[in-house]
Amino acid sequence: SQKIEQNSEALNIQEGKTATLTCNYTNYSPAYLQWYRQDPGRGPVFLLLIRENEKEKRKERLKVTFDTTLKQSLFHITASQPADSATYLCALDMNTGFQKLVFGTGTRLLVSP
Amino acid sequence: DGGITQSPKYLFRKEGQNVTLSCEQNLNHDAMYWYRQDPGQGLRLIYYSQIVNDFQKGDIAEGYSVSREKKESFPLTVTSAQKNPTAFYLCASHQWAGDQPQHFGDGTRLSIL
């Protein structure tokens, strides 16, 4: 069956360090993958999208990689700040002809001052 | 500002009662979605609509109903047939153009009295 795995344990890092979050999937061939940020009691907010033919995408302090052979995406936040503390969700497109996204459970990131 | 508005933010349901969650968007998006979020689980798709007067069941449609009479509006009714309705409900919209991101509202938290 289809499965997306994100580390369910919270990731604790110090301010200024690079946070790396992992999204692994099985039994998919997604056309693209998206990363969202979700704060408590709020809806997810889109951050980055990476297509299957792209290896890496950057936006300011954010970087996403996509390895379709390993079936893995890595999400990096460089020079992390306490304001980056949130839950980060990865979502894969099911390649069905309309945008059906399958979401991971999310990883909570805590950045300490 | 364009966006998605969900109301109410908190909702309580009595046994045997149907309740309706509102979702309105002013982004002029064609597609709209309803998700359910439970602790420790990824977002799960309840219903989606690609155009006005058309909608499709998602992965967990049992006990729910929707309508799409206007492009801006996609209300979700949680019926008494849904035996475990306590969850965080999220509405999203998407411009019908391939890999565009989904835009989310800030959710409705439904609880049982």
Side-chain angles (χ1 to χ4, degrees):
Chain A
S1 63
Q2 306 148 346
K3 198 171 180 183
I4 301 175
E5 286 186 345
Q6 292 186 260
N7 195 339
S8 58
E9 293 183 11
L11 178 62
N12 289 277
I13 65 167
Q14 282 229 292
E15 184 175 8
K17 302 292 186 185
T18 296
T20 299
L21 285 69
T22 304
C23 178
N24 294 303
Y25 61 93
T26 58
N27 299 328
Y28 289 126
S29 294
Y32 54 86
L33 184 151
Q34 301 182 13
W35 282 88
Y36 290 81
R37 168 185 173 141
Q38 187 174 23
D39 290 286
R42 306 292 300 272
V45 175
F46 171 76
L47 296 174
L48 279 171
L49 179 150
I50 187 164
R51 298 177 181 84
E52 59 179 338
N53 60 351
E54 297 175 320
K55 296 291 185 187
E56 182 179 297
K57 207 75 168 284
R58 291 176 185 261
K59 179 183 176 183
E60 298 172 350
R61 294 185 296 113
L62 308 180
K63 184 178 86 171
V64 173
T65 62
F66 194 10
D67 188 326
T68 55
T69 301
L70 289 179
K71 294 186 180 295
Q72 181 182 78
S73 175
L74 299 179
F75 178 79
H76 306 273
I77 306 175
T78 59
S80 59
Q81 304 165 1
D84 295 326
S85 299
T87 297
Y88 292 85
L89 310 175
C90 72
L92 276 67
D93 171 62
M94 291 294 291
N95 220 355
T96 59
F98 81 98
Q99 191 183 77
K100 181 178 180 181
L101 294 179
V102 178
F103 285 82
T105 54
T107 297
R108 189 172 174 211
L109 174 66
L110 299 170
V111 182
S112 310
Chain B
D1 277 343
I4 297 181
T5 301
Q6 290 189 242
S7 62
K9 191 161 181 66
Y10 299 96
L11 187 58
F12 297 90
R13 194 191 88 171
K14 294 179 182 178
E15 291 287 341
Q17 187 182 41
N18 294 351
V19 291
T20 298
L21 285 61
S22 170
C23 177
E24 303 278 332
Q25 55 103 354
N26 61 2
L27 299 166
N28 200 33
H29 286 171
D30 298 304
M32 297 186 75
Y33 303 77
W34 274 105
Y35 293 92
R36 169 179 172 143
Q37 188 174 33
D38 295 280
Q41 297 196 40
L43 277 66
R44 290 184 290 166
L45 182 64
I46 304 172
Y47 267 98
Y48 66 96
S49 168
Q50 299 177 53
I51 56 172
V52 174
N53 293 321
D54 184 65
F55 49 82
Q56 308 294 331
K57 291 182 179 180
D59 300 318
I60 56 164
E62 186 174 349
Y64 301 97
S65 65
V66 294
S67 63
R68 186 88 186 274
E69 297 177 1
K70 298 187 298 182
K71 187 175 185 178
E72 304 79 25
S73 180
F74 191 40
L76 173 75
T77 296
V78 184
T79 74
S80 57
Q82 172 49 246
K83 297 307 179 189
N84 184 23
T86 298
F88 190 48
Y89 290 87
L90 288 160
C91 178
S93 72
H94 166 242
Q95 183 57 39
W96 197 250
D99 57 10
Q100 296 301 306
Q102 293 190 9
H103 295 255
F104 285 83
D106 273 340
T108 293
R109 189 166 298 279
L110 176 62
S111 303
I112 297 296
L113 276 178

